[in-house]
Amino acid sequence: MLGATGQIGRAAVSALAGDGWEVTAVSRGGGRDGRWEGGVRALALDRDEEGALEKALGEGCDVLVDMVAFGARHAQQLTGLAGRVGSAVVISSGAVYEDDRGRSFDTQEQPDGFPRYPVPLPETQRTVEPGEATYGTRKVLLERELLAAGDALPVTLLRAGAVHGPYCRTPRELYFVKRLLDGRRRRVLAYGGESRFHPVHVSNAAELIRLAARLPGSRVLNAADPQAPTVAGIGAAIDEVLGRETETVLVDGPAPEGHVGGTPWSGAHPVVYDMTAAERELGYRPVTGYVESLPETVEWLAGELAERDWREAFPKMARNYGEALFDYAAEDAWLEAYDRGRH
């Protein structure tokens, strides 16, 4: 497994080892997760080093699971292993989808640029054009190159939703958890708190990987939880976990000035993935639901924040979302004006 110490990788190694597979957990650092069974082999490897992956494979393997593949180079690397690899399971992304007006995650910052997908969104929905320009276009390029291999290398591509669970580098739940730990008692939510961006817990992604390893085939499947909660519902559920009460101020439409009320889930239209194909083709049944999985995630986040600034604990989160994520001064100023306007 490539990318074994990432958030999905850790759970997938456990799921596959528990299913009886002999697992070699590959990562740049060669680290181990304390929950892995003793028979799991950890290996340090840079998959971009010329010939390193081929050498490590030796005579080959039954299933290659790849958490970190992007673009043409990695696609060609994998298809070049046809004959030495029985089948592959590769993580893709829901970011590949495009709506009927050409809008996608790549256009969401433009005026009226947020995609309006069918609800639920099936795998047959069209995608952005392949290329190396963006995250989504690189994933489409990867998908098409791998699917073209056909029977020579059967590949299951899993289009993951908003991944959540421990060890996430960009944990969306941080938005609510940090506010509560900082003593914030009011929150502002854009789009009336009704935004939905379908999550997938690491254990549900791992279950899809486990099933796809058992049932090889060339296919693309969505990867998501059984529910797609609203952002207001997520906030309320995290309040419940931490035993706090929060007043929620709802804003119609997008976040006002200073991104107040904008969250990592916020969008003008719902993004809800159809899981019918995974149920039909793999017999997929979710391991957990969003609310049920939250206590472990919240506990992990609180531990990461206990003695560190959030930017130190989650530097990729800080790069992706910027300081506005926790701009309490802008939030308080907006709430003060909001309160004045009500009286």
Side-chain angles (χ1 to χ4, degrees):
M1 178 182 299
L2 299 174
T5 55
Q7 60 175 143
I8 299 177
R10 291 170 186 262
V13 168
S14 293
L16 290 167
D19 209 28
W21 293 91
E22 292 181 12
V23 181
T24 299
V26 178
S27 62
R28 284 178 180 268
R32 295 186 63 87
D33 188 294
R35 298 167 296 180
W36 291 348
E37 296 180 8
V40 172
R41 176 187 175 221
L43 176 67
L45 174 73
D46 180 356
R47 61 104 50 84
D48 291 321
E49 181 184 328
E50 191 69 35
L53 178 57
E54 291 80 358
K55 181 179 178 182
L57 271 175
E59 294 182 2
C61 65
D62 293 322
V63 182
L64 177 65
V65 181
D66 194 341
M67 304 290 170
V68 289
F70 282 103
R73 184 178 177 187
H74 288 166
Q76 290 158 11
Q77 181 186 48
L78 294 176
T79 55
L81 298 172
R84 298 173 64 189
V85 172
S87 67
V89 184
V90 178
I91 297 296
S92 186
S93 169
V96 302
Y97 290 116
E98 179 178 82
D99 76 5
D100 295 336
R101 288 176 50 187
R103 297 174 298 190
S104 68
F105 286 178
D106 291 338
T107 65
Q108 60 184 311
E109 299 303 324
Q110 300 172 14
D112 193 29
F114 198 90
R116 187 189 287 270
Y117 298 127
V119 177
L121 173 57
E123 292 88 347
T124 51
Q125 179 69 22
R126 76 188 200 189
T127 66
V128 296
E129 287 300 312
E132 295 285 1
T134 69
Y135 178 83
T137 63
R138 292 179 74 193
K139 284 292 192 183
V140 173
L141 184 56
L142 174 80
E143 287 187 1
R144 294 195 183 177
E145 293 263 353
L146 291 177
L147 291 172
D151 293 341
L153 179 64
V155 180
T156 297
L157 290 142
L158 297 174
R159 291 175 174 168
V163 183
H164 64 106
Y167 303 102
C168 183
R169 295 170 66 199
T170 55
R172 292 170 176 84
E173 290 72 20
L174 182 69
Y175 181 86
F176 291 123
V177 172
K178 176 172 163 53
R179 278 174 164 74
L180 293 173
L181 295 178
D182 289 343
R184 307 287 291 179
R185 292 294 176 262
R186 301 177 84 188
R187 67 168 65 103
V188 184
L189 295 178
Y191 299 110
E194 292 299 307
S195 295
R196 289 196 293 164
F197 181 13
H198 207 153
V200 58
H201 188 260
V202 290
S203 65
N204 287 331
E207 175 66 0
L208 284 159
I209 291 166
R210 184 188 74 84
L211 293 169
R214 279 187 167 196
L215 297 165
S218 291
R219 56 171 85 96
V220 290
L221 297 172
N222 288 330
D225 287 345
Q227 308 91 18
T230 66
V231 66
I234 291 171
I238 293 175
D239 285 353
E240 184 77 20
V241 172
L242 286 172
R244 310 291 172 88
E245 290 187 11
T246 306
E247 177 195 348
T248 301
V249 177
L250 301 177
V251 176
D252 291 332
E257 67 278 356
H259 299 286
V260 172
T263 78
W265 298 271
S266 294
H269 311 295
V271 180
V272 179
Y273 299 111
D274 188 344
M275 291 303 296
T276 306
E279 294 165 5
R280 181 183 66 247
E281 295 194 26
L282 299 181
Y284 169 65
R285 296 294 180 271
V287 173
T288 189
Y290 187 84
V291 172
E292 295 89 331
S293 71
L294 268 179
E296 182 189 26
T297 302
V298 172
E299 181 183 5
W300 175 74
L301 283 170
E304 293 296 301
L305 293 173
E307 297 179 358
R308 290 189 293 174
D309 181 84
W310 75 276
R311 288 157 291 207
E312 181 187 351
F314 301 105
K316 191 170 189 290
M317 187 82 171
R319 289 195 301 272
N320 286 9
Y321 292 97
E323 300 290 324
L325 198 64
F326 299 110
D327 189 347
Y328 296 158
E331 214 167 84
D332 290 340
W334 187 89
L335 282 166
E336 187 177 332
Y338 169 81
D339 290 339
R340 284 199 307 269
R342 288 198 301 171
H343 296 98

